[in-house]
Amino acid sequence: DAGVTQSPTHLIKTRGQQVTLRCSPISGHKSVSWYQQVLGQGPQFIFQYYEKEERGRGNFPDRFSARQFPNYSSELNVNALLLGDSALYLCASSKDRNGANVLTFGAGSRLTVL
Amino acid sequence: GQQVMQIPQYQHVQEGEDFTTYCNSSTTLSNIQWYKQRPGGHPVFLIQLVKSGEVKKQKRLTFQFGEAKKNSSLHITATQTTDVGTYFCAGPRNTGGFKTIFGAGTRLFVKA
């Protein structure tokens, strides 16, 4: 079985642009969470989606948005990019929606904003 | 708000030495998870502790969950170069929706 897949793996954008990151969870997993990891820090929670609905949101501005599709895949969108948005964006899937579930992470999308 | 803190931030050891990282939560946790991230990689789940005072072992790794379920530790016996990476503890947020909060991690360097 495939693990969590993310695309693209690397991308470079300029300030003010918009970016869309994609994630496919493990088959059978209905929950997808998005994390931002800045170099040298722990993953910071952005969103959790379960059954196509937002179930949790972190302290990120409205420039960040996400959605989950009927096949449980997900997209993270970031508008009006800032230099500080440069980070590794991690998608994690889990079987259920509660915090007791183990997270399986994808390899991440490394975003560089110039 | 709820915080998960880890110490030390970095640890340099000689191969064969022991290593311990400590995790403290500002609130009681229903469970705690540990993840390892190799340089250039992504976090990989190691273990989950649920019960107060629980101790679990994985070969040279020993994980403990405190009696008050607010702290945890990871101890590695006789480190090897393959142990290099950053170790994160993580716990579920107690209120306001579902999310798992990560500590800042302890980065382990092992010198051969």
Side-chain angles (χ1 to χ4, degrees), chain A residues 28-32 48-50 93-98 101:
Chain A
H29 283 194
K30 298 181 178 180
S31 174
V32 168
Q48 190 209 29
Y49 276 79
Y50 179 80
S93 78
S94 57
K95 287 183 180 179
D96 212 329
R97 65 175 185 173
N98 65 61
N101 272 258

Side-chain angles (χ1 to χ4, degrees), chain A residues 27-40:
Chain A
S27 177
H29 283 194
K30 298 181 178 180
S31 174
V32 168
S33 298
W34 287 95
Y35 286 81
Q36 181 196 64
Q37 187 177 29
V38 175
L39 194 63

Side-chain angles (χ1 to χ4, degrees), chain A residues 35 37 41-43 45 48 55-57 88 90 97-103 105-107, chain B residues 9 31 33 35 37 41-45 48 88 92-93 97-104:
Chain A
Y35 286 81
Q37 187 177 29
Q41 297 183 18
F45 175 80
Q48 190 209 29
R55 301 291 181 170
R57 186 182 183 102
L88 179 66
L90 294 162
R97 65 175 185 173
N98 65 61
N101 272 258
V102 168
L103 299 175
F105 284 90
Chain B
Q9 186 177 7
N31 72 86
Q33 300 168 9
Y35 294 79
Q37 185 173 22
H42 57 278
V44 174
F45 172 75
Q48 182 181 67
F88 295 100
R93 183 167 68 177
F98 305 100
K99 76 174 187 180
T100 299
I101 301 172
F102 282 75

Side-chain angles (χ1 to χ4, degrees), chain B residues 78-89:
Chain B
T79 55
Q80 300 175 358
T81 55
T82 53
D83 296 325
V84 164
T86 302
Y87 293 85
F88 295 100
C89 63

